Amino acid sequence: MNKFTRFNIFRKSGGLIRPAMWYLYIAVAAILGGLAGFFLTRYRDRKSGSDLLSIAKDQEKEILDNAKKKAQEELEHATRKAREIREKELQIKKNSEKEIKKKKHDLEKIELQLLAKIEKVDAKADQIEKKQDVLKEREDQIEKKKQQVDTIIDSQKKELERIAGLSADEAKAQIMKRTEEELQYEISLKIKESENRVKESSEKKSREILATAIQRCATDHSFDPIVSVVELPSEEMKGRIIGREGRNIRAFENLTGVDVIIDDTPEAVVLSAFDPIKREIARATMEMLTLDGRIHPAKIEEMHEKAKKEINLRIKEAGEQAMLSLGIQSTHPELVEIVGKMNFRTSYGQNVLQHSIEVATLASSMAAEIGANVQLAKRAGLLHDIGKVIESDEANHAVLGAEYAKKYQESPKVVNAIGAHHEDTPFDSVEAVLIAAADAISASRRGARKESLDAYIKRLEDLEKIAKSFPGVMSTYAIQAGREVRVIVSPEQISDATAPKLCRDIVKKIEDEMEYPGQVKVVLIREVRNVEVAR
């Protein structure tokens, strides 16, 4: 290959000869290597003799042919590669020019849009400036007119003050006073209507809550007597109970603190005591003695100790059962025992434990209705009367129960509810008010507590007597088992304006002079009748 051939290849490839030149250099190097090898072999084999000369020439020719052939193939391959690269570069250049042209077109379009917007903004700015100038002129005109109006108003005020002989503040005060006087009656009516509406709605809601709570509570009421009757297996057992010269009955009474009444009742003796626990221990002791048949002072002591253990176990079980029925947990063991003792205590014939469970149920129901703490209401309701089973003369049962609840680490709200359920101390929570209300409901239910007939009649008479002691009262009637007093007054002596005060005075005197469970409602009636006869 001569230099003209190489020049033609360079010219055909369009100047991109670097890859082709590399292939060309490789081919030339291969040819030169083959020639060098050939001459070296020829030089080495020249001494072998002339017979190898022809073989060497053939090999030389063959090598030259192979080298030319390989160089031609490499040249063609290099030319083809150069053509492909050129085509790719041309395509890339074409695409780039196309993309640049498109971007340029877009930029020109955006530039035109921006120019149009700038022109609009400039136009609006000119308009705004013109409007500001107009507004400024108007503001100046308004300010001038305002000054003129103020001047006119001042002159008119001075003229009015001169004519009326009053300053502006004095006239304003008179107008306000007159307006207030005119509206005072209407304001009073509105306040009265609002108070009546609130009172009616609150009373209605209270009745609904109380009715719902009472309906959910179903507690049996039974009066616990102060005597217990023990049945005997035979009539001769009475003699054994009395013993020789009465030693057995004396020992029994001294040991138990209970009176034994033996009368003509067949096969029965009566145990009488105001302490229900002692009476129950005595009853259990007497039943054990009659079953055993051997009755003497030593046996009485043995059975008495056994009965005490049995009753103490029943007391503990009663307390635990009350706690379990109400879902109350985490209570001091001694407090559980005190709760159990309430099962053997009565208040006006009402079982204290049943009363406490009823109060807890009522209070928790009302707490659920108004969104108060249900568990707190249950706990305080069950414990509110624990002071009744604690023997002490230092304070009333509410204060005493609060002290013991605090001693056994009850919460401050529970302690306050116990101490305040008879309003001996102020209420600290809503739950304390609910306990007081539930206690009043449970105690004032008909049949819940017994009352002698004489005391009942005397209470009714006292109510009527207190109400009739006021001037202007014509007649009084105690109804609803003493829960309500109807007072009829003279219309000539008592007017509509003084009737509310008289009713309040009667209520105050009843509260100061009488003791009664629940509430007493006083209804004052003033009636005026005008009668004419047509002839």
Side-chain angles (χ1 to χ4, degrees):
M1 181 182 295
N2 53 26
K3 61 182 181 179
F4 295 102
T5 305
R6 291 197 300 272
F7 175 74
N8 290 330
I9 294 173
F10 175 79
R11 184 171 55 80
K12 291 179 180 179
S13 61
L16 302 174
I17 62 171
R18 289 185 179 178
M21 288 299 291
W22 280 107
Y23 290 113
L24 183 60
Y25 290 155
I26 293 170
V28 172
I31 294 170
L32 291 176
L35 291 174
F38 169 73
F39 286 115
L40 287 174
T41 304
R42 183 177 180 185
Y43 176 76
R44 188 176 59 226
D45 294 340
R46 185 178 291 175
K47 296 179 181 181
S48 302
S50 58
D51 54 346
L52 297 175
L53 183 59
S54 61
I55 297 172
K57 289 180 178 181
D58 294 336
Q59 291 179 349
E60 180 181 1
K61 184 178 180 182
E62 184 179 356
I63 290 169
L64 289 173
D65 293 339
N66 290 333
K68 289 179 179 179
K69 186 177 180 181
K70 189 173 183 181
Q72 186 65 29
E73 292 176 355
E74 292 293 337
L75 181 60
E76 291 176 356
H77 181 70
T79 303
R80 188 168 58 255
K81 286 289 183 181
R83 190 181 296 112
E84 292 177 357
I85 291 170
R86 175 63 179 172
E87 289 176 357
K88 288 182 179 179
E89 289 184 351
L90 290 173
Q91 185 65 31
I92 292 170
K93 184 177 179 182
K94 185 178 179 181
N95 293 337
S96 299
E97 290 176 352
K98 185 178 180 181
E99 186 68 23
I100 290 169
K101 187 176 180 182
K102 183 179 178 182
K103 292 290 185 182
K104 185 178 180 181
H105 178 72
D106 293 341
L107 289 173
E108 290 176 352
K109 186 177 179 180
I110 292 171
E111 184 178 2
L112 292 174
Q113 292 176 353
L114 289 174
L115 290 173
K117 288 183 178 180
I118 290 171
E119 291 177 356
K120 290 182 180 179
V121 170
D122 293 338
K124 288 183 178 180
D126 294 337
Q127 293 177 1
I128 290 171
E129 290 179 357
K130 292 179 180 179
K131 288 182 179 180
Q132 286 179 348
D133 295 337
V134 174
L135 288 174
K136 188 175 181 181
E137 292 178 359
R138 290 183 179 178
E139 287 178 357
D140 294 339
Q141 294 175 1
I142 291 171
E143 185 65 27
K144 291 179 180 179
K145 290 182 179 180
K146 184 178 179 182
Q147 292 177 358
Q148 294 175 0
V149 170
D150 291 339
T151 304
I152 294 171
I153 290 174
D154 291 338
S155 62
Q156 288 179 351
K157 282 184 178 179
K158 291 179 181 179
E159 185 66 19
L160 287 173
E161 289 176 0
R162 186 185 65 79
I163 294 172
L166 296 173
S167 64
D169 293 336
E170 292 174 349
K172 183 178 180 181
Q174 289 186 4
I175 293 171
M176 292 296 294
K177 183 177 180 181
R178 186 176 300 173
T179 304
E180 184 178 357
E181 291 176 354
E182 291 176 355
L183 295 177
Q184 187 66 36
Y185 180 71
E186 295 182 4
I187 292 172
S188 300
L189 288 179
K190 291 292 183 183
I191 293 173
K192 187 66 176 177
E193 290 176 1
S194 301
E195 288 178 351
N196 292 336
R197 187 163 53 250
V198 171
K199 185 177 180 181
E200 289 176 0
S201 61
S202 61
E203 288 180 353
K204 182 179 180 181
K205 187 63 177 177
S206 300
R207 286 193 215 98
E208 291 177 357
I209 293 173
L210 290 175
T212 303
I214 293 172
Q215 287 173 359
R216 292 177 180 175
C217 179
T219 304
D220 295 332
H221 296 292
S222 60
F223 298 121
D224 291 338
I226 61 174
V227 297
S228 298
V229 179
V230 180
E231 296 182 0
L232 302 177
S234 62
E235 194 68 22
E236 65 171 340
M237 188 61 67
K238 292 182 179 180
R240 294 185 187 181
I241 292 173
I242 297 172
R244 183 178 296 178
E245 298 180 356
R247 65 173 186 172
N248 290 344
I249 193 171
R250 284 197 302 271
F252 186 89
E253 290 179 345
N254 292 333
L255 186 62
T256 60
V258 174
D259 294 332
V260 181
I261 301 173
I262 300 177
D263 51 16
D264 296 335
T265 305
E267 298 180 357
V269 294
V270 178
L271 305 178
S272 175
F274 288 100
D275 190 333
I277 296 178
K278 289 182 179 180
R279 190 172 69 249
E280 187 65 19
I281 294 173
R283 187 189 64 78
T285 303
M286 184 64 73
E287 288 180 352
M288 291 179 184
L289 289 171
T290 55
L291 289 175
D292 186 85
R294 297 171 294 174
I295 303 177
H296 51 82
K299 196 67 176 179
I300 291 173
E301 291 182 5
E302 178 186 349
M303 294 301 179
H304 182 256
E305 291 297 325
K306 188 176 180 180
K308 282 176 65 177
K309 292 179 181 180
E310 180 182 345
I311 298 303
N312 288 333
L313 181 61
R314 287 169 56 186
I315 288 172
K316 185 177 180 182
E317 290 177 352
E320 292 175 349
Q321 183 62 34
M323 296 286 181
L324 182 63
S325 64
L326 294 173
I328 299 174
Q329 301 175 355
S330 303
T331 307
H332 196 281
E334 294 184 12
L335 202 57
V336 175
E337 185 176 350
I338 292 175
V339 172
K341 286 182 180 179
M342 291 194 297
N343 192 36
F344 297 95
R345 296 288 181 181
T346 58
S347 178
Y348 296 97
Q350 186 180 24
N351 185 279
V352 177
L353 182 58
Q354 291 182 4
H355 164 67
S356 299
I357 293 173
E358 183 179 12
V359 169
T361 305
L362 290 170
S364 62
S365 298
M366 290 188 287
E369 290 291 331
I370 66 174
N373 191 327
V374 176
Q375 289 299 322
L376 176 61
K378 283 185 179 180
R379 197 178 194 91
L382 180 64
L383 301 178
H384 81 283
D385 268 349
I386 59 173
K388 290 184 177 180
V389 299
I390 299 171
E391 297 180 358
S392 177
D393 297 330
E394 296 179 359
N396 60 32
H397 73 277
V399 177
L400 193 63
E403 292 176 357
Y404 268 76
K406 186 176 181 180
K407 175 183 176 182
Y408 294 122
Q409 299 177 353
E410 289 294 326
S411 66
K413 288 187 177 182
V414 173
V415 174
N416 175 257
I418 295 172
H421 76 274
H422 283 314
E423 299 184 15
D424 296 316
T425 57
F427 297 113
D428 287 346
S429 62
V430 177
E431 291 78 10
V433 179
L434 295 180
I435 297 303
D439 179 63
I441 293 171
S442 177
S444 60
R445 278 188 177 186
R446 295 184 181 180
R449 294 183 175 183
K450 68 177 181 179
E451 186 177 19
S452 65
L453 180 61
D454 294 339
Y456 171 72
I457 295 174
K458 186 176 184 304
R459 185 161 64 86
L460 298 184
E461 290 177 349
D462 290 342
L463 283 173
E464 293 179 351
K465 184 178 179 181
I466 289 173
K468 205 168 184 178
S469 63
F470 289 87
V473 177
M474 297 173 59
S475 58
T476 58
Y477 302 95
I479 61 175
Q480 297 291 333
R483 303 276 186 253
E484 183 178 337
V485 180
R486 300 276 177 92
V487 180
I488 301 175
V489 299
S490 172
E492 290 80 11
Q493 299 180 21
I494 306 298
S495 64
D496 288 337
T498 58
K501 183 178 182 303
L502 176 60
C503 187
R504 179 60 190 164
D505 292 341
I506 295 172
V507 169
K508 184 65 176 176
K509 191 171 183 179
I510 291 173
E511 290 176 349
D512 294 339
E513 298 184 6
M514 291 191 63
E515 293 184 0
Y516 51 89
Q519 297 177 344
V520 176
K521 181 180 179 181
V522 177
V523 180
L524 191 143
I525 302 172
R526 177 180 181 272
E527 184 181 14
V528 178
R529 293 187 182 184
N530 296 318
V531 181
E532 296 290 342
V533 179
R535 299 182 182 275

